[in-house]
Amino acid sequence: MKLQSFGVIGLAVMGENIALNVERNGFPIAVYNRSREKTDAFMVNRAQGRNARAAFTLEEFVSVLECPRKILVMVQAGKPVDAVIAQLKPLLSKGDIIIDGGNSWFEDTERRTQELEPSGLCYIGMGVSGGEEGALNGPSLMPGGTESSYQYLSPIFNKIAAQVDDSPCVTYIGPGGSGHYVKMVHNGIEYGDMQLIAEAYDLLKNVGGLDNQQLHEVFAEWNTTDELNSFLVEITANIFPCIDPDTKKPLVELIVDAAGQKGTGRWTVQTALDLGVPVPTIVAAVNSRIISSYRNERIAASRELTGPSRKFSGDTKKFINMVRDALYCSKICSYAQGMALLSKASTIYNWNLHLGDMARIWKGGCIIRASFLNKIKNAYAENAFLANLLLASEFKQTILDRQAAWREVIVTAAQTGIPVPAFSASLDYFDSYRRDRLPQNLTQAQRDYFGAHTYKRIDKEGIFHTEWIPVEEAKK
């Protein structure tokens, strides 16, 4: 019996699509799903005529795979992954490779690696970005784990990943949970991107007065520029002309304004706090999704809490261009924060991440794919030890040239009562990073006053504490 080259466990949409991608690229597949009905439906429909083999028990699944076995697990993150591993472990042989392609918490991936590798099994934690279409036609892949296991898998990964001008959108990320960590930060940047686009839309619609056709035209035009050409801007432009067949109204206006989230953006914020890296744009994006979920409270509050008029009397074309500049400057800050977080994590966890490679593999397949990732890749090619993207020559000059428009947009938003938390957080990040002195000297004085936490001085070395005297006592 001829054995199959690659196995996939979990036949939800992502699992199905990656399985079909692998098979289309010349690697016969075996598939297993806990529900037999799902497996049967896949084989009868989407896998019809393909070199695919169904298994209905894990024992059968393992038996039809060539050794060393290569098994991709596409199930819900958390306990379901642990359950599948526990069932697989006694069935596998030394050298077999388990690949977790879900959005697992990176520390879970570290733990699973430590549990499996002493027994001779190999474990790869792989971030997969691109949604349903990317999984089928070429995602961005972020595999981390033992490098020798990656090298064995690379012929398959190089084929199934998105293909861009310089190489496939996959690289060895690093050891342990680094692949899932990079995917998590990718998703945090994605949160920031989406919130920034939403704020631009809000301003153009409710301040600039653009209708949906005009919004379509603006975002479509922005997508032709080197700065804003991206998957997210492209789909945004495509959303506005879509008309609901029942009401004949723009569909986007009928969608409830409460955004969901699966947790990776929140994880990005949590780990950034743990490592002491500021990511205010991503924080603002997560908070915006959270406050959007308070829809009933917001509706009630809107009847009692009034704000300024949204009337705008300026030049609409000029305002559109200023919003474009504000969006791009904010986007640079969002990516700068994400890259700074990856840099710090690489140092803390000894992953030796190559940040230019991260930008390269995000150029195709993934949700944040964008032309300007080329500029990020080039920035790290010029200086692999770049402290912050804001210091790269092109990005620095871009913001210096456009910051007046950026600031004016945020002023206009405040004057018209439009919340722009991600735009504002991005500008605050830029202004904080560029200043040589911040007001936290006062914060340190306060901490020393009430808690004797001590402080350092700018004029001499050492650690100091002052017995601060209330004004009334000092006068005595």
Side-chain angles (χ1 to χ4, degrees), residues 242-317:
C242 187
I243 301 298
D244 173 55
D246 297 327
T247 64
K248 310 305 180 187
K249 295 179 180 179
L251 180 57
V252 69
E253 304 303 332
L254 301 174
I255 296 174
V256 172
D257 58 325
Q261 55 180 316
K262 292 186 176 179
T264 46
R266 186 172 65 251
W267 287 352
T268 304
V269 171
Q270 290 170 341
T271 187
L273 290 172
D274 290 340
L275 299 187
V277 179
V279 291
T281 307
I282 299 171
V283 171
V286 173
N287 282 339
S288 293
R289 294 199 187 192
I290 293 171
I291 200 168
S292 77
S293 69
Y294 285 71
R295 186 167 183 266
N296 291 337
E297 286 188 38
R298 289 189 290 107
I299 291 172
S302 71
R303 302 187 185 107
E304 299 185 45
L305 303 176
T306 59
S309 169
R310 294 178 183 173
K311 188 175 181 181
F312 176 71
S313 58
D315 182 301
T316 301
K317 180 61 176 176

Side-chain angles (χ1 to χ4, degrees), residues 361-475:
I361 65 173
W362 292 343
K363 285 168 55 179
C366 71
I367 302 302
I368 65 171
R369 60 185 183 266
S371 294
F372 114 117
L373 284 161
N374 260 324
K375 299 179 181 181
I376 297 179
K377 184 190 76 169
N378 293 337
Y380 286 111
E382 291 174 8
N383 181 2
F385 302 102
L386 185 66
N388 191 292
L389 276 181
L390 295 178
L391 300 176
S393 57
E394 179 169 337
F395 296 130
K396 175 179 69 176
Q397 196 57 49
T398 291
I399 289 183
L400 293 179
D401 290 344
R402 304 186 189 201
Q403 64 171 310
W406 190 12
R407 295 178 190 281
E408 189 168 344
V409 164
I410 292 172
V411 168
T412 301
Q415 291 175 336
T416 54
I418 301 293
V420 286
F423 275 19
S424 300
S426 299
L427 180 59
D428 288 343
Y429 178 77
F430 170 72
D431 280 338
S432 295
Y433 192 74
R434 69 174 181 80
R435 290 187 61 188
D436 64 348
R437 190 157 173 82
L438 293 168
Q440 274 60 52
N441 55 316
L442 176 59
T443 304
Q444 283 300 94
Q446 292 169 329
R447 294 179 72 244
D448 189 59
Y449 191 118
F450 65 68
H453 292 295
T454 72
Y455 56 87
K456 294 181 181 180
R457 295 174 59 117
I458 62 174
D459 57 344
K460 51 187 172 182
E461 294 295 321
I463 303 296
F464 300 89
H465 168 63
T466 294
E467 291 297 330
W468 301 88
I469 302 173
V471 174
E472 293 77 9
E473 293 185 19
K475 290 179 179 178

Side-chain angles (χ1 to χ4, degrees), residues 6-7 70-74 97-102 122-126 143 153 157 180:
F6 194 85
K70 302 171 285 294
I71 299 172
L72 175 64
V73 178
M74 295 295 292
I97 306 170
I98 300 174
I99 310 151
D100 175 11
C122 303
Y123 195 70
I124 294 285
M126 183 168 71
L153 294 165
F157 291 167
H180 277 138

Side-chain angles (χ1 to χ4, degrees), residues 181-296:
Y181 194 97
V182 168
K183 174 56 164 54
M184 175 195 71
V185 174
H186 162 286
N187 284 20
I189 294 171
E190 177 186 312
Y191 273 54
D193 255 3
M194 294 175 72
Q195 178 61 26
L196 291 168
I197 291 170
E199 291 175 16
Y201 152 67
D202 199 3
L203 287 165
L204 294 176
K205 177 186 176 184
N206 291 307
V207 178
L210 275 63
D211 62 26
N212 280 58
Q213 180 57 34
Q214 291 170 316
L215 288 166
H216 162 71
E217 292 168 0
V218 166
F219 278 92
E221 193 276 326
W222 286 357
N223 196 48
T224 66
T225 66
D226 193 40
E227 294 90 349
L228 293 178
N229 171 256
S230 66
F231 173 71
L232 285 171
V233 171
E234 176 187 353
I235 67 170
T236 300
N238 292 340
I239 285 169
F240 292 118
C242 187
I243 301 298
D244 173 55
D246 297 327
T247 64
K248 310 305 180 187
K249 295 179 180 179
L251 180 57
V252 69
E253 304 303 332
L254 301 174
I255 296 174
V256 172
D257 58 325
Q261 55 180 316
K262 292 186 176 179
T264 46
R266 186 172 65 251
W267 287 352
T268 304
V269 171
Q270 290 170 341
T271 187
L273 290 172
D274 290 340
L275 299 187
V277 179
V279 291
T281 307
I282 299 171
V283 171
V286 173
N287 282 339
S288 293
R289 294 199 187 192
I290 293 171
I291 200 168
S292 77
S293 69
Y294 285 71
R295 186 167 183 266
N296 291 337

Side-chain angles (χ1 to χ4, degrees), residues 97-131:
I97 306 170
I98 300 174
I99 310 151
D100 175 11
N103 279 328
S104 288
W105 174 237
F106 81 101
E107 290 184 353
D108 285 342
T109 305
E110 295 272 0
R111 169 180 57 79
R112 291 164 186 150
T113 300
Q114 294 168 6
E115 291 171 353
L116 287 171
E117 297 208 340
S119 64
L121 299 177
C122 303
Y123 195 70
I124 294 285
M126 183 168 71
V128 179
S129 179

